Amino acid sequence: MVLDQNFADLLRASSHRLFSLMERFNEARVLIIGDLTLDEFLTGSVERVSREAPVLILRHETTKQVPGGGANAVYNFARLGAQVLAVGLLGKDEQGKALRNLLEVAGINTDGVFLDPHRPTVTKTRISGHSRQSVTQQIVRVDRKSDELPDLDLQLQLAQYIKEQASSVDAVICSDYGDGTLTQRVISAALSASRTIVDAQKHLERYSGAMLFTPNLPEAELAVGYSITDDQSLTRAASDLFRLTQARYVLITRGEQGMSLFDCDGGEFHIPAFNRTEVFDVTGAGDTVVAGLTLGLAAGASVWEGAVLGNLAASIVVRQFGTTTTTVQEMRAALSALLDDLDY
């Protein structure tokens, strides 16, 4: 891998510090508010075309269920060793039971996860098939969700729980996938924390005053209303995002171009992608960035160091298909390999 020489020198100089920060991830206590989603993956082999309609008939082989959406954000933190308080809503259904079980088995505190009797657990079921000598590929996705907002009493319960816990955690993370959990009452409670980090797909202005925002490039473009095509438009977008959000920091993740960190005083730092050649699937990578970044901050990192750790964690999960996570051990190995490459 070829990195800018100045960045490579800075990474070498910071390496001992980065390793030390990772060892303190397990000391962090974080509260994550999110649109809790169950991701289902059904696979089967193609037997024939149906006589009922021009569709494939699959013989079922496997079903896999993993935390998705805001639940993937929660799961990322837990896999990296943090003490995690999950906050969100589940339906009174089998999908909700399955998702709660996945979180609890991972040691995640679900006292802040409430049941919504009127809305289903958000579930995304991906059905994939293959023939005898072909790769498996997705055929269709089925989503279960409601466009209705949670009842007022549930919004108030969520907000009350967040306010009660905010002073006892190192950070509050808002993982907003647009499925209705993060109403304005819930957001106001989240903003009462001293360190609130926002990962939202749209309507960033609703979180005005949060410490740090982590939009990806399309989300940043949606927020500012124009395309980001070069360094000039990137810097302009950061300035507009600060006006929109009143944040202290904005981190724009840019895929193979790495990520760009801005502070409200005019600082601008660019971190290259650590893995460009083995990118298979970017699903959930933004959640991994937020986890690595936040846990770095909780361990005492600067925002630049936290962004490097988030970038490092994401460089691991994009090598795998589907919604995945990583661990401190894998991050240590990845950093060691990166440093070896620099010295080669």
Side-chain angles (χ1 to χ4, degrees), residues 41 64 136 279-283 317-324:
F41 299 87
K64 180 181 179 182
T136 300
V279 176
F280 297 120
D281 193 342
V282 298
T283 303
V317 301
V318 296
R319 303 176 193 185
Q320 305 170 63
F321 288 105
T323 309
T324 58

Side-chain angles (χ1 to χ4, degrees), residues 118-163:
H118 304 300
R119 304 192 315 153
T121 301
V122 179
T123 306
K124 298 178 181 179
T125 303
R126 297 162 178 86
I127 301 174
S128 301
H130 65 91
S131 59
R132 288 181 60 188
Q133 294 181 327
S134 71
V135 297
T136 300
Q137 62 183 30
Q138 185 172 318
I139 298 170
V140 68
R141 193 180 91 181
V142 180
D143 288 2
R144 300 179 183 93
K145 60 186 294 186
S146 171
D147 293 330
E148 300 296 323
L149 291 177
D151 289 344
L152 178 58
D153 61 336
L154 279 174
Q155 296 181 41
L156 294 174
Q157 286 182 64
L158 290 169
Q160 183 61 33
Y161 181 83
I162 295 164
K163 290 176 181 177

Side-chain angles (χ1 to χ4, degrees), residues 231-308:
D231 291 344
Q232 183 177 4
S233 58
L234 178 65
T235 301
R236 175 190 169 200
S239 179
D240 288 341
L241 285 170
F242 279 118
R243 280 192 287 271
L244 182 71
T245 65
Q246 303 301 307
R248 278 183 278 169
Y249 303 95
V250 170
L251 178 69
I252 301 177
T253 57
R254 304 168 59 205
E256 66 177 15
Q257 294 178 294
M259 52 182 64
S260 298
L261 174 67
F262 303 87
D263 67 47
C264 60
D265 296 322
E268 185 172 323
F269 311 90
H270 301 285
I271 302 169
F274 292 160
N275 175 29
R276 295 182 183 178
T277 59
E278 299 179 343
V279 176
F280 297 120
D281 193 342
V282 298
T283 303
D287 296 325
T288 308
V289 170
V290 173
L293 165 63
T294 304
L295 295 182
L297 294 177
S302 67
V303 179
W304 180 86
E305 291 169 332
V308 170

Side-chain angles (χ1 to χ4, degrees), residues 22 25-26 67 71-82 84 106 108 274-275 281 283-293 295 308-335:
M22 283 187 272
F25 278 9
N26 62 355
N72 181 54
V74 171
Y75 204 58
N76 267 274
F77 277 89
R79 288 275 289 159
L80 286 171
V84 181
I108 295 163
F274 292 160
N275 175 29
D281 193 342
T283 303
D287 296 325
T288 308
V289 170
V290 173
L293 165 63
L295 295 182
V308 170
L309 289 169
N311 193 28
L312 179 67
S315 75
I316 299 168
V317 301
V318 296
R319 303 176 193 185
Q320 305 170 63
F321 288 105
T323 309
T324 58
T325 58
T326 189
T327 64
V328 169
Q329 291 75 20
E330 291 173 341
M331 287 182 65
R332 288 178 60 86
L335 181 56

Side-chain angles (χ1 to χ4, degrees), residues 14-47:
S14 305
S15 60
H16 292 297
R17 167 95 170 142
L18 294 172
F19 281 119
S20 176
L21 289 166
M22 283 187 272
E23 292 305 309
R24 296 203 292 275
F25 278 9
N26 62 355
E27 299 173 10
R29 179 177 166 87
V30 295
L31 184 148
I32 305 157
I33 314 154
D35 291 307
L36 305 180
T37 300
L38 181 68
D39 277 354
E40 289 186 327
F41 299 87
L42 276 64
T43 61
S45 60
V46 178
E47 289 197 326

